[in-house]
Amino acid sequence: MIYNRIIGRLDIKGPNLVKGIHLEGLRVLGKPDVFAKLYVEEGIDELFYQDVVASLYERNSLLDLIKKTANSISIPLTVGGGIRSLNDIDQILKSGADKIAINTAAIKNPEIIYQAAKVYGSSTIVVTLEVSKLINNIHCVYTDNGREFWDINAIDWAKRVENLGAGEILLTSIDNEGTGKGFDITITQKISESVNIPVIAHGGAKTSIDIIKVLTETQARAVAISSMLHYGYLDKVQLNSSNYEEGNTDFIKKNINYKDYAKTSIIDIKKALLPKILTRI
Amino acid sequence: MTIAIINYGASNLYSVKNCLNRLNLKSIITSDDEIIRQSSAAILPGVGAFGQAMYNIKKLKLDYSIYKFIETGKPFLAICLGMQLLFEKSCEFSQNKGLGLLQGDVKLIGGNKNLKVPHIGWNKINLVNRSTKNSVYLKNYDDDFMYFVHSYYVNPADEKIVLTKTNYQDFIFCSSVEYKNIIAFQFHPEKSGEKGLNIFRNLKKKIS
């Protein structure tokens, strides 16, 4: 049997849960730990926190958030964003995260994957690949939430991170992220067939049909979803607009529903995947 | 009543501690022989590499503390890599010797099958010999989802100690064992939601 994983991805900026399009134009949606706890109660399989700013001065607020979250949930939590050293990894794991995700640090110094896997075990180390398709149809990798381009072929890089000891790959399609146009099937298929480690497809999910498509047409057995989840649950989360001081909060203050995404629940998403796709229900 | 979480540098110590805190179970993360031996129960957690773990355990002389603790007959729980360390040897990276408390070895998942490794995610545990097994820890459990993260699995020499098995794309492996006061899980009860927490509640009943 294989039970596919539905992973809730939460982009974090300072104290807030945010969401953008193509990893940019961030909107503040609320308190991450409030959403996280609700998702766990509703049956999400794992959580993934991505610190999208990852500046050093906000480090302690991220660690506090990890502690707070880890104390209230008992399913796996992966944390990524701004991890530069084994010491950073150590701090995040000590705060209660179960896995860490790296991108920029791995590209700048691939050896960090090997070193981290040796100390913490491969299964603790997730490598994030932020990819985008060039004019010649080749996918290359980016860092810093899609801001910095590296002339590295995404498939070659995926194989290399596997050889260095990564336990999982989180594959983000920058082209599709936040757009709701479905996953990038082509690159997900190519990468999930090129490596033997699990691949998590991320970027573009709007409906259960998108999830079925990527889990049946590629070797990925896990998806990370965010817009679909956050907008699906927005009205269930108690909004207290006075708590939102930072960033682009107009969206929340006006209490606009994001029309493109249906109100949904995790159990409804999971049921809609049956009978083709099994998950923990 | 304190539970010792044996610290040999494994990375999921804090997940285990968090979990015990939530159940109001007093615990201490320690590598001190005296503290371990005086505890009401001990947990050998584990995420990491087998060789590195054994190296640390020997360096900290924790092998001696573990042997002595188990001799007392008090509950001893091992999780994931902690479970694998109880066996005689592992083929991870190069051949490594384990604690040898249980007979058998540790092997790579999949054999010659083309499976995604590590096996990461939720999967079911199924009791074997249901009529003869009645573990305090897994009472009323069968066909329940638990969270797995591992590349290796244990292959016990004595089938009788096997409590549950798990099927990963038709590759069936041992997912828990029980022998005298030792209970060991390949999955992570501390990461398996309410069903996982219940295992620690059962431990609580046993020691209080």
Side-chain angles (χ1 to χ4, degrees):
Chain A
M1 289 301 181
I2 183 140
Y3 296 94
N4 297 260
R5 285 176 289 159
I6 311 296
I7 299 168
R9 151 122 176 187
L10 288 81
D11 289 344
I12 313 287
K13 185 183 178 189
N16 295 322
L17 168 66
V18 294
K19 190 69 202 92
I21 296 175
H22 305 302
L23 302 174
E24 285 185 329
L26 304 173
R27 283 169 161 167
V28 172
L29 298 183
K31 298 279 172 231
D33 51 309
V34 175
F35 281 82
K37 196 159 177 263
L38 178 63
Y39 295 162
V40 173
E41 285 162 9
E42 294 271 311
I44 203 78
D45 294 320
E46 275 184 49
L47 289 174
F48 191 108
Y49 276 3
Q50 177 73 23
D51 182 353
V52 293
V53 181
S55 62
L56 285 172
Y57 78 96
E58 274 179 347
R59 219 57 194 156
N60 288 333
S61 100
L62 179 71
L63 296 178
D64 286 344
L65 174 64
I66 298 169
K67 280 179 199 155
K68 208 167 159 189
T69 308
N71 277 326
S72 67
I73 64 163
S74 50
I75 65 159
L77 171 66
T78 305
V79 176
I83 295 169
R84 292 168 183 83
S85 63
L86 292 186
N87 187 42
D88 291 342
I89 295 175
D90 212 61
Q91 279 194 325
I92 288 174
L93 294 174
K94 277 186 179 157
S95 301
D98 302 288
K99 302 184 234 180
I100 61 93
I102 45 174
N103 178 15
T104 312
I107 287 184
K108 288 185 179 161
N109 169 29
E111 272 297 296
I112 195 175
I113 303 172
Y114 175 77
Q115 288 162 358
K118 208 172 145 200
V119 179
Y120 302 104
S122 282
S123 54
T124 307
I125 312 302
V126 181
V127 174
T128 303
L129 267 67
E130 289 170 6
V131 306
S132 180
K133 192 163 72 178
L134 306 181
I135 295 167
N136 58 6
N137 276 336
I138 296 202
H139 283 79
C140 279
V141 298
Y142 286 71
T143 57
D144 301 281
N145 290 299
R147 286 190 294 271
E148 198 167 341
F149 169 75
W150 295 76
D151 192 11
I152 300 172
N153 182 300
I155 300 167
D156 296 341
W157 177 236
K159 289 181 189 163
R160 180 130 188 251
V161 305
E162 176 182 32
N163 287 334
L164 285 164
E168 267 179 292
I169 288 174
L170 175 84
L171 177 63
T172 299
S173 162
I174 298 167
D175 304 333
N176 295 29
E177 203 277 333
T179 65
K181 63 183 182 187
F183 293 94
D184 184 333
I185 301 292
T186 314
I187 192 62
T188 309
Q189 186 180 25
K190 282 184 184 158
I191 287 184
S192 62
E193 279 173 2
S194 308
V195 297
N196 203 35
I197 53 176
V199 172
I200 304 163
H202 171 233
K206 187 171 158 188
T207 66
S208 294
I209 295 164
D210 297 328
I211 299 176
I212 294 173
K213 197 168 159 64
V214 78
L215 294 179
T216 49
E217 294 180 16
T218 77
Q219 298 300 309
R221 294 293 169 264
V223 293
I225 56 173
S226 43
S227 300
M228 186 177 166
L229 210 51
H230 308 333
Y231 297 128
Y233 274 96
L234 251 190
D235 58 350
K236 284 188 199 162
V237 178
Q238 283 290 331
L239 296 175
N240 181 356
S241 48
S242 63
N243 287 338
Y244 302 93
E245 288 153 4
E246 275 182 56
N248 177 8
T249 59
D250 292 350
F251 176 68
I252 286 299
K253 283 178 183 154
K254 287 177 190 158
N255 203 7
I256 310 163
N257 266 327
Y258 199 64
K259 288 186 228 62
D260 287 357
Y261 291 85
K263 287 192 179 67
T264 187
S265 73
I266 293 160
I267 188 74
D268 286 342
I269 295 171
K270 287 184 164 188
K271 278 182 180 164
L273 304 179
L274 292 169
K276 268 192 179 168
I277 304 290
L278 297 178
T279 59
R280 176 183 66 125
I281 295 188
Chain B
M1 188 184 82
T2 304
I3 298 172
I5 301 170
I6 300 170
N7 183 3
Y8 60 93
S11 60
N12 76 333
L13 295 170
Y14 298 88
S15 310
V16 175
K17 177 127 180 76
N18 270 335
C19 180
L20 298 177
N21 286 349
R22 289 181 65 189
L23 300 176
N24 293 319
L25 273 161
K26 201 178 154 210
S27 64
I28 180 166
I29 292 174
T30 182
S31 36
D32 184 280
D33 177 63
E34 195 65 28
I35 294 173
I36 292 170
R37 281 159 70 178
Q38 283 172 5
S39 300
S40 341
I43 298 178
L44 186 65
V47 168
F50 194 100
Q52 179 85 36
M54 275 313 294
Y55 174 81
N56 291 348
I57 283 175
K58 291 225 155 112
K59 202 171 98 184
L60 296 163
K61 298 194 171 70
L62 285 168
D63 45 348
Y64 177 77
S65 309
I66 292 168
Y67 295 139
K68 287 289 167 196
F69 183 89
I70 286 173
E71 272 178 19
T72 65
K74 291 187 279 192
F76 185 87
L77 261 83
I79 299 168
C80 196
L81 176 62
M83 175 200 211
Q84 298 173 2
L85 293 169
L86 303 179
F87 287 80
E88 291 165 301
K89 59 178 196 271
S90 169
C91 61
E92 186 172 343
F93 288 112
S94 54
Q95 190 78 241
N96 281 296
K97 272 185 87 172
L99 291 166
L101 284 154
L102 300 173
Q103 288 180 342
D105 56 358
V106 180
K107 292 177 164 174
L108 184 66
I109 289 173
N112 47 20
K113 282 190 179 147
N114 187 24
L115 296 180
K116 292 274 184 198
V117 175
H119 170 221
I120 300 184
W122 295 84
N123 208 332
K124 287 180 172 179
I125 54 168
N126 296 109
L127 286 181
V128 290
N129 299 327
R130 206 182 309 196
S131 54
T132 56
K133 299 285 180 193
N134 196 14
S135 169
V136 173
Y137 300 97
L138 296 181
K139 210 169 182 159
N140 303 324
Y141 279 72
D142 196 17
D143 218 31
D144 287 297
F145 279 110
M146 293 290 164
Y147 192 83
F148 289 83
V149 187
H150 62 126
S151 300
Y152 294 82
Y153 70 99
V154 301
N155 178 35
D158 180 4
E159 271 284 323
K160 287 198 288 289
I161 70 170
V162 178
L163 209 55
T164 64
K165 287 191 176 180
T166 294
N167 177 338
Y168 174 48
Q169 284 190 290
D170 294 332
F171 181 78
I172 295 168
F173 63 90
C174 164
S175 48
S176 63
V177 299
E178 186 167 31
Y179 177 72
K180 293 183 178 168
N181 55 327
I182 299 173
I183 178 92
F185 310 109
Q186 184 56 68
F187 52 87
H188 288 272
E190 78 282 10
K191 287 285 115 198
S192 298
E194 273 304 308
K195 280 282 179 182
L197 288 179
N198 258 331
I199 292 177
F200 293 105
R201 287 195 187 99
N202 291 340
L203 168 69
K204 190 177 179 178
K205 277 182 217 152
K206 209 174 153 85
I207 57 178
S208 55

